[in-house]
Amino acid sequence: MLALLRERPFRRLWLSYSASAAATGMMPTALTLAVLDGPHGLSALGLVLGARTLGFVAGSLPGGVIADRYPRTRVLAVSSAVRGGATAVVGLAAGLPILVVCVAIGFAGAGEGTFRSAYQALVADHIGKDRLQEANAATTLSLRIWLVGGPTAAVALYAEFGRGVSLTAAAVLWFGSALLAAAVPVKGSAAPRPDAGTGMLTEFRQGLDEARRHRWFLAGLAALIAWLALGEAAKYVMLPVVSQERFGSTALIGLALGAYSAGAIAGAMLMSRWRPRRVGIPAMIMLGSYGLVPLSLAYASHSWVIIAACAIGGIGIEVFNIPWFTAIQREVPGHMQARISSLDFLVSYGMSPVGFALIPPMVDAAGAQSVLTTAGLLVMGSALAALLVPGMSVFSDPRNKKAEQPLVPAAG
């Protein structure tokens, strides 16, 4: 990772991402504090946070097509500038109507959806295939650090300076990310850009067709849906309940989430150096290990068991994530990578609200222990079942390798 960061193009790209990650880490906490401290209060918080998620989904759909159609450094810079401008409006102008706040935050979410797809494809443009895993590990390490540090910084700025400063600081970081992205040299895929007459809907359908060529990608997405809608949602919904009702305090919440973040950082460090031959096997096993989290919430009588399960889950998600991103960059043609990444991120953000909505009524109907047990077993089972798909053990579809082999004329 250090050798990669000595190279100026990747260093600028990574710094742009890191500034964006810092602002992204600050945003939910800063936004929550600003809304609660404003004239609209708690009643508006759900609308504003929902507008951000809706904006991300709306931005992810066309964002991949845009990043494949236009110069990706420009797309990266514009998406960060849009987020910075939209966030600055909310941070600097107190007392805005709630509709204006929701629209601005929706634009910020849309910029985030476009940024992620463009960034993943840009990494593949600038880094050779033999070093993509180290580049993705450096990216993940930055993200994980700022997901912990961002909320802390937002709270500190709010306590010292008031409601608008933390949002303004996030806006400044995004403007800095835009400037750094604009300084990255343009180095697009060798494949030709789409014709001007090709519609964006057609290009999106082409991306779906490309996704269907990679059975390992579709199987991995199915396992991710279970991980997000059942495992991840169960952790965030039930961890506060278990912490208070079973252990009599809220201390477990911070310890478990901290252990998860520490595990994710350890997993990123591990995958910066470890290159298993059949990378899909440890990736899917460790993704399935997240099922230990809902199982521990269902049965653990000691808090350390839940903390340990969250730490293992943190390691596991990065043992999966980093080879997963690397495989997309390696297996998908360069001119379609942003579209495939946008599908990946769309599933990631789109399924979490589904889990948050479904788990509470399921717990009321069937009981917490039954729901958590089922969620844990389904997370494990879906990840292990994905290994039955041809090519899943190496994150590469054997059909595509055969299609790429040149025809050899018969002897004589």
Side-chain angles (χ1 to χ4, degrees), residues 300-346:
S301 57
H302 299 285
S303 59
W304 68 264
V305 176
I306 298 173
I307 295 169
C310 287
I312 293 170
I315 295 171
I317 189 56
E318 296 310 336
V319 172
F320 169 82
N321 265 343
I322 292 170
W324 172 259
F325 294 143
T326 303
I328 292 173
Q329 293 161 332
R330 183 189 66 237
E331 297 292 318
V332 176
H335 65 290
M336 287 193 174
Q337 283 181 9
R339 275 169 277 183
I340 301 301
S341 293
S342 71
L343 287 174
D344 181 18
F345 293 129
L346 186 60

Side-chain angles (χ1 to χ4, degrees), residues 34-35 37-40 87-98 100-101 162-165 167-168:
V35 171
D37 200 27
H40 308 290
T87 306
V89 167
V90 179
L92 295 174
L96 290 172
I98 190 62
V100 175
V101 174
R163 66 177 295 276
V165 174
L167 282 174
T168 306

Side-chain angles (χ1 to χ4, degrees), residues 231-379:
E232 185 81 341
K235 179 184 74 175
Y236 283 110
V237 171
M238 294 306 299
L239 180 59
V241 176
V242 171
S243 180
Q244 290 183 321
E245 294 184 356
R246 195 179 305 168
F247 299 104
S249 76
T250 58
L252 177 61
I253 302 172
L255 291 172
L257 295 180
Y260 175 75
S261 297
I265 291 171
M269 296 295 291
L270 171 66
M271 295 313 294
S272 71
R273 302 184 66 86
W274 185 36
R275 291 171 172 266
R277 281 187 61 191
R278 294 185 174 273
V279 69
I281 295 176
M284 299 312 297
I285 290 174
M286 291 306 294
L287 182 69
S289 72
Y290 201 86
L292 294 173
V293 175
L295 289 175
S296 69
L297 290 171
Y299 297 103
S301 57
H302 299 285
S303 59
W304 68 264
V305 176
I306 298 173
I307 295 169
C310 287
I312 293 170
I315 295 171
I317 189 56
E318 296 310 336
V319 172
F320 169 82
N321 265 343
I322 292 170
W324 172 259
F325 294 143
T326 303
I328 292 173
Q329 293 161 332
R330 183 189 66 237
E331 297 292 318
V332 176
H335 65 290
M336 287 193 174
Q337 283 181 9
R339 275 169 277 183
I340 301 301
S341 293
S342 71
L343 287 174
D344 181 18
F345 293 129
L346 186 60
V347 168
S348 299
Y349 262 72
M351 293 311 301
S352 292
V354 174
F356 290 139
L358 291 179
I359 285 180
M362 291 168 62
V363 168
D364 289 339
Q369 195 170 77
S370 298
V371 172
L372 288 169
T373 301
T374 303
L377 293 177
L378 286 174
V379 170

Side-chain angles (χ1 to χ4, degrees), residues 74-93:
R74 192 179 304 166
V75 173
L76 208 67
V78 171
S79 63
S80 283
V82 167
R83 286 187 290 172
T87 306
V89 167
V90 179
L92 295 174

Side-chain angles (χ1 to χ4, degrees), residues 101-115:
V101 174
C102 288
V103 170
I105 296 303
F107 273 104
E112 183 178 350
T114 304
F115 181 93

Side-chain angles (χ1 to χ4, degrees), residues 13-28 31 51-52 55-56 59-60 72-92 101 103-120 143 147 166-181 349:
L13 186 58
W14 180 81
L15 287 172
S16 173
Y17 181 88
S18 297
S20 173
T24 301
M26 292 175 64
M27 184 66 168
L31 191 59
R52 180 171 178 247
F56 181 90
S60 294
R72 287 166 180 160
T73 52
R74 192 179 304 166
V75 173
L76 208 67
V78 171
S79 63
S80 283
V82 167
R83 286 187 290 172
T87 306
V89 167
V90 179
L92 295 174
V101 174
V103 170
I105 296 303
F107 273 104
E112 183 178 350
T114 304
F115 181 93
R116 291 198 181 193
S117 302
Y119 177 82
Q120 288 297 126
L143 175 65
L147 285 179
S166 53
L167 282 174
T168 306
V172 170
L173 285 167
W174 271 318
F175 285 131
S177 173
L179 292 174
L180 287 163
Y349 262 72

